[in-house]
Amino acid sequence: DMFYMANPDADIKSMFLVSLASHSIADKAIGIFHRTNSLEYYELFSDHRYDYQMIHQMEIDILNSINYEAILVTATEIMRRAHCCIELDDKIKVLSRYILESSQLFYEFITEYESRIAAASQYVANKYSKKPWNEIMEKYFGYKEKEIVALAFKLNSRFVNWKAPKEVIHRFAGDD
């Protein structure tokens, strides 16, 4: 959509090529590198209607026309990338993702940087699991402990005082 808004005279017949190139850009943005060569994959997907060079050129055209403003890194993506590099117990990873995703329910966190919310969520999960915030965490999340403690405290206090999930579970389960 952004490409066609920036290029109103673009040939509508190239929509499939634009779609392929857009998906390839999105794959790269979120770190999907499991394909040997994503452009060859898309060439095959197009039933060889478009070759490697055509798809690559369309990627360049799309990114240039939208001034590279399409790539957004979310807190979930920041956490996923950090978890790939840091050795953590799966329970801690799940807890940190739960805290992160649940924080999106509270309007007060909307002004926080995605990277800070990810780091603070991980910090809270580490504290529950009695794991320290160390140099490796600082490296992959980009924050020193003192930079996220206040936000982590705010996150934690929000969940400690959040009674709705427990109440809802008991109401449906029939426990009082």
Side-chain angles (χ1 to χ4, degrees):
D1 290 344
M2 291 173 67
F3 174 76
Y4 282 111
M5 288 185 339
N7 299 288
D9 297 331
D11 183 12
I12 200 74
K13 292 177 184 175
S14 66
M15 192 176 282
F16 187 58
L17 177 58
V18 171
S19 177
L20 289 172
S22 297
H23 278 89
S24 179
I25 292 167
D27 277 357
K28 292 172 184 172
I30 62 171
I32 297 176
F33 299 114
H34 63 276
R35 298 182 185 117
T36 324
N37 184 327
S38 67
L39 291 180
E40 288 176 3
Y41 168 82
Y42 287 108
E43 182 180 344
L44 182 65
F45 186 76
S46 76
D47 200 24
H48 300 284
R49 199 174 322 166
Y50 304 107
D51 64 13
Y52 178 93
Q53 287 81 15
M54 292 170 75
I55 299 169
H56 182 66
Q57 185 58 51
M58 183 52 75
E59 284 181 334
I60 293 168
D61 292 348
I62 290 170
L63 290 171
N64 284 334
S65 69
I66 63 173
N67 297 320
Y68 289 79
E69 293 178 6
I71 299 174
L72 298 173
V73 180
T74 64
T76 306
E77 184 60 25
I78 291 166
M79 185 172 283
R80 188 195 66 75
R81 289 180 183 181
H83 284 173
C84 289
C85 303
I86 301 170
E87 287 187 37
L88 288 171
D89 184 271
D90 284 343
K91 290 179 183 178
I92 297 173
K93 290 179 183 180
V94 169
L95 178 59
S96 64
R97 283 193 300 262
Y98 171 77
I99 293 167
L100 174 64
E101 291 173 14
S102 297
S103 72
Q104 296 171 357
L105 298 172
F106 303 108
Y107 186 74
E108 65 195 87
F109 299 117
I110 201 165
T111 58
E112 296 293 341
Y113 289 119
E114 298 282 325
S115 57
R116 272 191 85 222
I117 278 284
S121 298
Q122 186 64 56
Y123 183 83
V124 172
N126 281 14
K127 286 299 179 187
Y128 275 115
S129 305
K130 298 181 177 18
K131 301 287 183 194
W133 187 261
N134 56 32
E135 296 82 27
I136 295 169
M137 298 283 181
E138 289 176 7
K139 177 181 177 180
Y140 290 106
F141 281 99
Y143 291 96
K144 296 187 182 303
E145 185 174 8
K146 66 182 180 184
E147 296 172 310
I148 56 170
V149 167
L151 179 57
F153 181 78
K154 192 174 168 183
L155 266 173
N156 186 55
S157 64
R158 196 60 154 121
F159 292 108
V160 167
N161 296 324
W162 192 30
K163 296 177 182 153
K166 187 184 286 184
E167 291 172 4
V168 170
I169 291 168
H170 287 302
R171 200 174 315 129
F172 284 112
D175 294 340
D176 288 329

